Amino acid sequence: MQKFKNYINGEWVEPISGKYFPNISPANNEDIIGDFPDSGQQDVDAAVRAAKEAFKSWSRMPAPKRGDIIKKAGDIFVRRKAELAKIMTREMGKPTFETEGDVQEAIDTAFYSASETRRLFGFTAPSEMENKMNLSFRTPIGVCGIITAWNFPVAVPSWKILPGLAAGNTIVYKPSKESPYSGVIFAEILEEAGVPKGVFNLLLGKGAMGNFIVEHPDVNLIGFTGSTDIGTKIGEICGRMNKKVSLEMGGKNAQIVLDDANLELAVEGALWGAFGTTGQRCTATSRVIVEKGIYDKFIEVIADRARKLRLGDGSKPETEVGPVIHAQSLRNCQNYTNIGIEDGGRLICGGEPATDGDLSKGTFFKPTIIADVTTSNRLFNEEVFGPVLSITKAEDFEDAIRLQNHCEYGLSSSIFTRDVNKAFLAIREIEAGITYINAPTIGAEAHMPFGGVKGTGNGHREGGWTVFDIFTEWKTVYVDYSDRLQRAQIDNY
Ligand code: UN1
């Protein structure tokens, strides 16, 4: 069995404890991918020490020079795209066409972040006094602890790590224990691109190790993507320690379909939004809210299409939907299916694990649709993170918006309509960080702000130019060239 290593201070090293854990493919429980370090406090200490030391020189390197290295990382991601996608599919399950898209998102982020190093604009403003100049510019923060989930094992860490590096920070990165191999390749790519030693450090391990990163006094910022439960705990610790923290957590994203919508398109959108990545995206469509005039027709068409989706090993070209991540997730999908029905929903299709032939070796759950789900149904309100879609009937446009906003999360949203007025009203009224018009709730692009309102996050946006608000502090500078003491607010009034 291949043994993998951590990457600390420019070296590939074994965990100090000598402990490892196996990583098993969700498509085939006989396929053990390798043994990965089960890192602990001492490994975290070593990585943070290296990152703190490396910050001194990395933060002083001219930003465009850092950009050259990140651009090179993007080129290497291009070169290794197909190979990396295969590894990602093997360890987390989604079909290869999706993992290739995942790597592409990292490529886009690399090139965008690299270009931003020539554009990390500051602001100037007139001083209220004569012969004085007011400036402000972005400065890096220090050591950033990055903790991410397995569902986008390359794209999501790239959203944080690459702009974080571009801005002059150093990184201690803990990927999910379900996708450590993708983390190893990520580190290999940054190493080959010429990221100096200590600037980027990879620590493999389980959840408890993430805590050591969060609690480490020399880690200045935490960037987290994962469950609301864990994110909230991280937020509490960072609050207590006065650490900057960016949290990207759950979603219960809804797609609204109005009577005037292009029905075929709305069905296509819901299928991709709900069952793409086997429903395991924070942006996944988990609720469809359909206006009453086309409610029955919509259910008929989508059920027919959902039943025909081809489940299987993501490495096979014919596979449309891969496995869920592990047995616990499979139980969770079953549990929410049962809740959805017990709370008054009507099972339309799926609702059970898929076990035909080779599927029995993995953790597959049939694409599931439950209709007639009302706001009192727990399925309407709680995140499943799997291929379980609920459908709810709306009386009219206003009712659809009310149902959409009846939700503790606010990440993504969508509306299918041909009525331009209703589309614009929806943009204004929907409580979510992202709203799509005539497109599904998934599919954010790397150069646009990404994040949610309400229970989804804590007010930050990754992606685009806004990610630099996370990874930089503002330095304000006053230059007085009057050669006399000018007291603000006093001498000038
Ligand atoms: C996530 O599920 O954490 O918009 C990120 C999307 C993808 C990113 C999803 N580009 O669906």
Side-chain angles (χ1 to χ4, degrees):
M1 186 55 53
Q2 193 179 352
K3 262 193 176 163
F4 289 81
K5 290 179 174 167
N6 288 325
Y7 181 68
I8 300 176
N9 206 20
E11 308 276 342
W12 291 93
V13 291
E14 290 176 13
I16 290 166
S17 66
K19 283 199 233 154
Y20 290 81
F21 66 91
N23 179 21
I24 299 164
S25 172
N28 178 0
N29 56 29
E30 290 160 13
D31 179 17
I32 301 170
I33 295 158
D35 284 327
F36 292 85
D38 186 2
S39 309
Q41 178 77 62
Q42 286 175 295
D43 306 292
V44 172
D45 288 345
V48 174
R49 215 178 308 121
K52 190 178 175 184
E53 180 59 31
F55 179 72
K56 292 177 197 158
S57 49
W58 182 250
S59 58
R60 283 178 205 149
M61 184 187 279
K65 287 259 174 290
R66 295 195 297 258
D68 291 345
I69 295 173
I70 292 161
K71 155 78 172 56
K72 192 147 178 232
D75 291 336
I76 303 168
F77 272 114
V78 171
R79 193 188 80 219
R80 297 189 69 178
K81 180 173 173 180
E83 170 213 355
L84 176 50
K86 280 199 189 97
I87 290 168
M88 293 156 73
T89 292
R90 189 175 163 208
E91 73 175 351
M92 60 68 65
K94 66 186 174 187
T96 316
F97 72 89
E98 286 200 41
T99 45
E100 282 174 355
D102 192 318
V103 179
Q104 186 58 44
E105 213 164 323
I107 294 166
D108 299 342
T109 303
F111 294 156
Y112 182 80
S113 300
S115 70
E116 280 295 312
T117 59
R118 288 183 184 268
R119 210 168 34 219
L120 286 168
F121 296 134
F123 295 92
T124 63
S127 168
E128 59 189 47
M129 282 171 292
E130 284 180 6
N131 296 326
K132 196 175 166 196
M133 184 186 283
N134 296 357
L135 318 163
S136 65
F137 51 90
R138 293 183 185 275
T139 59
I141 289 179
V143 179
C144 301
I146 304 298
I147 300 172
T148 55
W150 45 266
N151 64 331
F152 274 81
V154 168
V156 167
S158 82
W159 290 356
K160 304 173 200 288
I161 292 167
L162 301 178
L165 290 174
N169 301 286
T170 57
I171 306 285
V172 173
Y173 169 43
K174 180 204 170 292
S176 162
K177 72 175 192 323
E178 313 298 341
S179 58
Y181 199 173
S182 305
V184 168
I185 308 285
F186 205 110
E188 283 177 9
I189 288 173
L190 293 186
E191 182 183 35
E192 188 189 335
V195 171
K197 73 178 175 102
V199 170
F200 172 82
N201 304 276
L202 172 78
L203 287 172
L204 302 172
K206 300 184 186 164
M209 186 264 289
N211 255 0
F212 299 135
I213 298 175
V214 174
E215 305 228 12
H216 200 296
D218 288 336
V219 173
N220 308 97
L221 174 150
I222 297 293
F224 171 82
T225 295
S227 73
T228 301
D229 187 30
I230 294 175
T232 305
K233 285 182 187 133
I234 290 176
E236 281 167 13
I237 297 168
C238 292
R240 176 158 45 75
M241 297 180 80
N242 291 323
K243 254 180 218 196
K244 196 166 182 182
V245 58
S246 153
L247 302 170
E248 212 274 283
M249 304 179 287
K252 187 76 197 174
N253 315 290
Q255 171 182 316
I256 296 174
V257 184
L258 298 184
D259 283 347
D260 72 349
N262 175 339
L263 181 72
E264 266 303 313
L265 182 65
V267 167
E268 286 280 330
L271 283 169
W272 174 230
F275 304 125
T277 324
T278 325
Q280 301 170 114
R281 293 195 192 204
C282 55
T283 50
T285 307
S286 51
R287 302 179 292 152
V288 180
I289 297 163
V290 188
E291 202 174 355
K292 65 178 178 211
I294 53 160
Y295 184 75
D296 293 333
K297 183 76 189 154
F298 181 88
I299 292 171
E300 188 192 316
V301 179
I302 195 171
D304 182 51
R305 295 285 308 278
R307 283 190 199 102
K308 290 184 187 142
L309 287 170
R310 284 188 299 269
L311 261 69
D313 184 329
S315 65
K316 301 212 170 107
E318 66 274 15
T319 296
E320 292 173 295
V321 180
V324 295
I325 190 67
H326 42 41
Q328 193 193 325
S329 171
L330 201 64
R331 285 193 293 275
N332 189 49
C333 292
Q334 187 68 69
N335 189 27
Y336 271 106
T337 301
N338 299 347
I339 289 171
I341 297 165
E342 276 158 28
D343 284 0
R346 172 165 55 104
L347 182 66
I348 302 293
C349 63
E352 58 185 5
T355 52
D356 287 353
D358 279 350
L359 297 183
S360 65
K361 291 188 193 159
T363 43
F364 291 89
F365 198 78
K366 292 183 183 167
T368 298
I369 298 177
I370 300 176
D372 304 344
V373 172
T374 58
T375 53
S376 60
N377 193 322
R378 270 179 65 197
L379 183 61
F380 188 85
N381 302 296
E382 295 173 25
E383 185 177 37
V384 181
F385 220 69
V388 182
L389 176 68
S390 71
I391 304 188
T392 301
K393 190 189 282 184
E395 284 303 308
D396 52 21
F397 170 73
E398 284 73 27
D399 192 36
I401 297 288
R402 179 188 67 81
L403 289 162
Q404 140 68 43
N405 289 341
H406 181 99
C407 180
E408 64 181 277
Y409 300 108
L411 180 54
S412 190
S413 58
S414 132
I415 182 165
F416 283 76
T417 177
R418 288 172 166 133
D419 183 330
V420 69
N421 293 352
K422 284 179 180 156
F424 274 87
L425 283 170
I427 292 170
R428 192 185 66 197
E429 296 301 324
I430 288 176
E431 297 165 0
I434 305 168
T435 295
Y436 290 89
I437 307 299
N438 292 323
T441 63
I442 67 177
E445 299 176 25
H447 58 293
M448 295 297 286
F450 181 93
V453 300
K454 295 156 85 176
T456 293
N458 64 337
H460 290 289
R461 291 291 181 274
E462 302 185 316
W465 58 98
T466 45
V467 72
F468 293 100
D469 295 336
I470 302 173
F471 286 99
T472 59
E473 298 271 16
W474 283 101
K475 166 66 71 76
T476 306
V477 180
Y478 300 97
V479 182
D480 192 319
Y481 49 98
S482 70
D483 214 23
R484 61 195 167 87
L485 177 68
Q486 299 197 84
R487 296 176 300 174
Q489 295 93 34
I490 295 169
D491 294 337
N492 49 339
Y493 286 103

